[in-house]
Amino acid sequence: MSNEFKRPIRVLVAKVGLDGHDRGARIIATSLRDAGMEVIYTGLRQTPEMVVNTALQEDVDAIGVSILSGAHMTVFPRIINLMKEKGMDDVLVTGGGIIPESDMTELKGLGVGELFPPGTTTAEIVKYITNWVHEHRNF
């Protein structure tokens, strides 16, 4: 998918908490990079504060959180609240992992973007982020 902007879309891919399984996050990061995006991968065991601070410093367009630990109802709201405190209202927060549908609905109500379950194609994720950035960011 082509990027009509003057620079690549910048995405922070993060693993928050004690979850040590990062294969999916690495696959997503590689797919986003292959699609022409600039990807910052934080590595394992990040806190929501670390993620938001890095996103602010790197001036990202989107944050993608991979979570398999079951802490999604704590992690995503904390990231959203920190972003609001820092005035980051034009940055997408999206993610994926093992998240029940009812929790996805609640998180979306808090301001989290699309959440992707296991089995989602990388092309779907690339398309979603690209479309969201084209609609919501201006650079």
Side-chain angles (χ1 to χ4, degrees):
M1 189 165 258
S2 68
N3 183 354
E4 300 167 7
F5 293 124
K6 296 177 184 174
R7 64 165 174 78
I9 295 171
R10 295 174 57 88
V11 181
L12 177 78
V13 175
K15 288 293 294 182
V16 180
L18 299 177
D19 178 7
H21 302 283
D22 67 343
R23 182 176 178 206
R26 289 176 183 265
I27 290 169
I28 297 302
T30 300
S31 297
L32 297 175
R33 191 169 292 132
D34 289 350
M37 297 182 196
E38 187 174 322
V39 178
I40 299 98
Y41 176 60
T42 63
L44 297 169
R45 296 177 180 82
Q46 300 294 298
T47 65
E49 291 79 7
M50 294 164 76
V51 170
V52 172
N53 286 335
T54 301
L56 185 61
Q57 291 170 358
E58 296 288 344
D59 190 26
V60 300
D61 303 301
I63 300 170
V65 178
S66 171
I67 193 156
L68 300 171
S69 66
H72 51 273
M73 295 305 289
T74 302
V75 168
F76 282 106
R78 181 71 180 139
I79 289 172
I80 291 290
N81 287 335
L82 289 166
M83 289 175 62
K84 285 178 183 176
E85 288 174 12
K86 296 183 184 292
M88 298 171 66
D89 56 352
D90 64 343
V91 176
L92 170 65
V93 177
T94 185
I98 311 286
I99 304 172
E101 190 68 38
S102 59
D103 290 351
M104 286 185 185
T105 302
E106 187 174 338
L107 291 169
K108 288 177 187 177
L110 296 174
V112 176
E114 194 66 36
L115 294 165
F116 301 97
T120 303
T121 67
T122 56
E124 289 176 71
I125 297 167
V126 167
K127 182 177 179 181
Y128 172 72
I129 291 172
T130 301
N131 289 341
W132 190 97
V133 170
H134 280 263
E135 290 176 22
H136 296 92
R137 296 283 287 187
N138 183 17
F139 56 88

